[in-house]
Amino acid sequence: MAALAATSTSSVPPESTQQVIGYPSLFLLVLVGALVPVVPTGALVSSAAAVAFHQTAPFSLALVFVTASLAAFLGDAALYWLGRRGMRSRNGSRWLEAIRSRAPQERLASAREKLAEHGVAVLVLSRLVPAGRIPVMLACLLAEWPPRRFARGNVAACLAWAATYQVIGILGGSLFPEPWEGVVVAVALTVVIGAAPSVVRRFR
């Protein structure tokens, strides 16, 4: 029994190994998710926070927050820059076309109207609304916001986004003693939050 317990314990990677692998992976996945909006980045951040909640290493949650917000900001900045290049190009670009394809006309029209009325506040809120980021980003491109103005508003947007999904992960991690249980709850909460607006629109 002692040998079996030792074997099972040794098969679990130590926290240092998890951090060496986990933080770069989180950064890369959130960065890719910002560029290619099909990766569930909110669920990734919530899962990472649920795991970090159970770790004994100091600043684990802070590192998740910094990693996620920085990756999201860099990904958004890169996508906006690529979109601006597409706007200036005669033939556009596949990145601009990808942004347009994920921004339905009714949402784009609403985003442009709200952006004209409220400015940066709409950009900040767009990251907290499921499927709200791309229409607002396209509205910023059509309004010809310079990259510096977009970046200033996007800093607050990415910080608020990372904090929101980290709180969801902490909530899931605090409910159960095992990290994997917290991850399951965090992912489930993220899915419910993401699906809620679509369900409300259907009922309306």
Side-chain angles (χ1 to χ4, degrees):
M1 288 294 291
L4 180 61
T7 303
S8 62
T9 302
S10 62
S11 64
V12 179
E15 286 188 10
S16 59
T17 303
Q18 294 176 17
Q19 291 174 357
V20 168
I21 298 173
Y23 294 124
S25 299
L26 177 65
F27 180 88
L28 182 61
L29 289 172
V30 172
L31 181 67
V32 171
L35 288 169
V36 185
V38 293
V39 178
T41 52
L44 289 172
V45 176
S46 296
S47 300
V51 173
F53 179 82
H54 290 279
Q55 291 182 341
T56 58
F59 310 117
S60 294
L61 289 171
L63 286 173
V64 170
F65 175 76
V66 171
T67 301
S69 55
L70 179 60
F73 175 80
L74 293 177
D76 284 354
L79 185 59
Y80 191 76
W81 180 77
L82 291 168
R84 277 175 59 85
R85 286 194 62 184
M87 295 286 289
R88 295 177 178 179
S89 172
R90 178 177 300 178
N91 298 322
S93 70
R94 63 188 184 92
W95 292 102
L96 180 60
E97 186 59 31
I99 296 174
R100 288 184 182 275
S101 66
R102 292 186 172 274
Q105 287 301 317
E106 63 275 7
R107 289 193 183 181
L108 177 58
S110 176
R112 297 186 70 177
E113 180 181 346
K114 292 178 180 178
L115 189 68
E117 293 178 359
H118 305 289
V120 173
V122 176
L123 177 59
V124 174
L125 291 175
S126 69
R127 256 213 167 263
L128 302 179
V129 177
R133 178 176 68 101
I134 295 301
V136 172
M137 181 180 290
L138 183 56
C140 292
L141 287 169
L142 295 175
E144 297 184 351
W145 277 27
R148 184 174 297 180
R149 184 183 183 187
F150 177 82
R152 284 199 301 265
N154 198 44
V155 167
C158 292
L159 291 175
W161 170 81
T164 299
Y165 282 100
Q166 182 158 358
V167 168
I168 294 173
I170 293 172
L171 178 62
S174 65
L175 293 176
F176 297 97
E178 294 294 332
W180 69 267
E181 295 173 322
V183 169
V184 171
V185 173
V187 171
L189 288 173
T190 304
V191 170
V192 170
I193 292 173
S198 300
V199 174
V200 172
R201 282 195 298 269
R202 287 189 178 184
F203 276 106
R204 286 181 177 178

